[in-house]
Amino acid sequence: MFSIGELSRRTKVKVPTIRYYEEMGLLAEAERTSGNQRRYDKAGLERLSFIRHARDLGFSIEAILSLIELQDHPDRSCETATDIAVSQLADVREKIKRLKLLEKELKRISDGCDGHGVSENCYVLASLADHELCEREH
Amino acid sequence: MFSIGELSRRTKVKVPTIRYYEEMGLLAEAERTSGNQRRYDKAGLERLSFIRHARDLGFSIEAILSLIELQDHPDRSCETATDIAVSQLADVREKIKRLKLLEKELKRISDGCDGHGVSENCYVLASLADHELCEREH
DNA sequence: CTTGAACCTCTAGTCACTAGAGATTGTAGA
DNA sequence: TCTACAATCTCTAGTGACTAGAGGTTCAAG
Ligand SMILES: [Zn+2]
Ligand SMILES: [Zn+2]
Ligand SMILES: [Zn+2]
Ligand SMILES: [Zn+2]
């Protein structure tokens, strides 16, 4: 059994975040000492590691809630899990796509001015004022 | 002179968002009719277009505030503008980098299970539980 | 038994909006 | 001119995933 601080150290999840996960229902309510402090065991540690890893991969709290629900029922079909993963992958790909468009335009904009001029003639400001200068939609 | 709704239509910025930008100091306080409704002119339209374009490119409200400040002083050095653009580009590149790592892992995870199995044996759930299965840091 | 780090709960703040309530105004048709 | 009613107004609260801080209590080492 270890304290919330110890759990935090082992998982690299900050203490208030652990409490937040508990409040959100991701972590079961921990056992308490007679003085009301949380105590965790190996199961708690594993669950928090799971949550942390999923968050690192960009899954939302809501998605993780479903995933955990599934994990708690080893006999259920895992279809939902794959669905969630596939949709997360699609999300990430969408984001990459969008960011690449932004990168192109931002590179053009940044390269357009060395910062030694005056606001009035600045290509950065002109570009922001006029989307027509952009090479594509973004 | 046109109403906030008309401005919204022309810029594709929602009405409450326009009011929000005003509150944040991005838009000057609009003139009002005798009945207290906002009225805008060409200058207001152009400024909102600028803001909208900058937001579409991912600049923060705070950054846009600086950019507008600069735009209002045509004689100042534009160094800040380039700095902001360069740092925004760096941000975007960082995000792309990170998302590409996520994409790799998520693809592996998604591909690892067709969803026809049972939760207990699901590669998706196993992967989330164990970062060791990941090919790289992410 | 004392000290002080760690813990507790609760509230509020972050960012860039978005939603809704309840009241007022603008405008077009009768 | 009157009447609908869409559009506008202000204000408050909610979103997601935390983070910060206040003010009080508990744990564990010495
Ligand atoms: Zn410049
Ligand atoms: Zn553009
Ligand atoms: Zn599966
Ligand atoms: Zn991993």
Side-chain angles (χ1 to χ4, degrees):
Chain A
M1 296 298 254
F2 35 88
S3 70
I4 197 169
E6 181 62 24
L7 185 63
S8 170
R9 243 163 282 127
R10 295 199 198 189
T11 56
K12 318 280 171 205
V13 177
K14 287 179 191 155
V15 169
T17 305
I18 297 174
R19 290 197 276 249
Y20 170 74
Y21 288 160
E22 182 184 308
E23 201 183 304
M24 292 298 100
L26 290 180
L27 281 171
E29 291 193 16
E31 282 179 56
R32 302 285 184 128
T33 63
S34 58
N36 201 35
Q37 298 195 358
R38 290 169 179 82
R39 284 298 113 101
Y40 297 89
D41 56 10
K42 192 159 163 283
L45 176 69
E46 279 168 8
R47 165 142 302 180
L48 184 53
S49 301
F50 181 96
I51 295 167
R52 154 96 208 220
H53 194 215
R55 286 292 302 127
D56 282 348
L57 287 164
F59 290 89
S60 71
I61 299 281
E62 204 194 341
I64 299 173
L65 222 41
S66 303
L67 260 7
I68 280 176
E69 169 88 0
L70 217 55
Q71 217 187 20
D72 285 346
H73 299 273
D75 51 318
R76 285 204 199 150
S77 157
C78 70
E79 206 184 340
T80 315
T82 344
D83 287 354
I84 289 173
V86 166
S87 123
Q88 175 62 15
L89 176 57
D91 262 31
V92 166
R93 286 184 168 153
E94 258 310 303
K95 278 187 182 139
I96 291 173
K97 217 164 144 185
R98 190 172 164 254
L99 287 173
K100 280 185 174 171
L101 289 173
L102 294 197
E103 192 203 353
K104 274 214 166 52
E105 302 300 344
L106 285 168
K107 179 166 164 30
R108 173 184 55 79
I109 291 171
S110 298
D111 287 353
C113 177
D114 59 7
H116 294 338
V118 98
S119 159
E120 196 171 15
N121 311 316
C122 183
Y123 184 73
V124 172
L125 294 173
S127 294
L128 290 173
D130 188 7
H131 173 55
E132 292 292 310
L133 293 175
C134 287
E135 280 157 24
R136 316 183 180 203
E137 286 314 306
H138 53 89
Chain B
M1 298 298 255
F2 36 87
S3 70
I4 197 169
E6 181 63 23
L7 185 64
S8 170
R9 245 164 278 125
R10 295 199 197 188
T11 56
K12 315 283 174 205
V13 176
K14 286 178 192 156
V15 169
T17 306
I18 297 174
R19 291 198 275 249
Y20 170 73
Y21 287 159
E22 181 184 307
E23 201 180 303
M24 292 300 99
L26 291 179
L27 282 171
E29 291 193 15
E31 282 178 56
R32 302 285 185 129
T33 63
S34 57
N36 200 35
Q37 297 194 359
R38 291 169 180 82
R39 285 297 112 95
Y40 297 90
D41 57 10
K42 192 159 163 282
L45 176 69
E46 279 168 6
R47 166 143 300 182
L48 184 53
S49 301
F50 181 96
I51 295 167
R52 155 95 210 220
H53 194 215
R55 285 294 300 129
D56 282 349
L57 287 164
F59 290 89
S60 71
I61 299 282
E62 205 195 341
I64 299 173
L65 222 40
S66 303
L67 292 169
I68 281 176
E69 169 89 358
L70 217 55
Q71 216 186 20
D72 284 347
H73 298 273
D75 51 316
R76 285 202 198 152
S77 157
C78 70
E79 205 182 341
T80 314
T82 345
D83 287 354
I84 289 172
V86 166
S87 123
Q88 175 62 16
L89 176 57
D91 261 31
V92 166
R93 285 184 168 153
E94 257 312 301
K95 277 186 183 141
I96 290 173
K97 216 163 145 187
R98 188 171 167 255
L99 287 173
K100 280 186 175 171
L101 288 174
L102 293 197
E103 191 203 353
K104 275 217 165 52
E105 301 301 344
L106 286 168
K107 178 166 164 30
R108 173 184 56 80
I109 291 170
S110 298
D111 287 352
C113 177
D114 59 7
H116 295 338
V118 98
S119 159
E120 197 172 15
N121 311 315
C122 184
Y123 183 74
V124 172
L125 293 173
S127 294
L128 291 173
D130 188 6
H131 173 55
E132 292 292 309
L133 294 174
C134 287
E135 281 158 24
R136 316 182 180 205
E137 286 314 305
H138 51 88

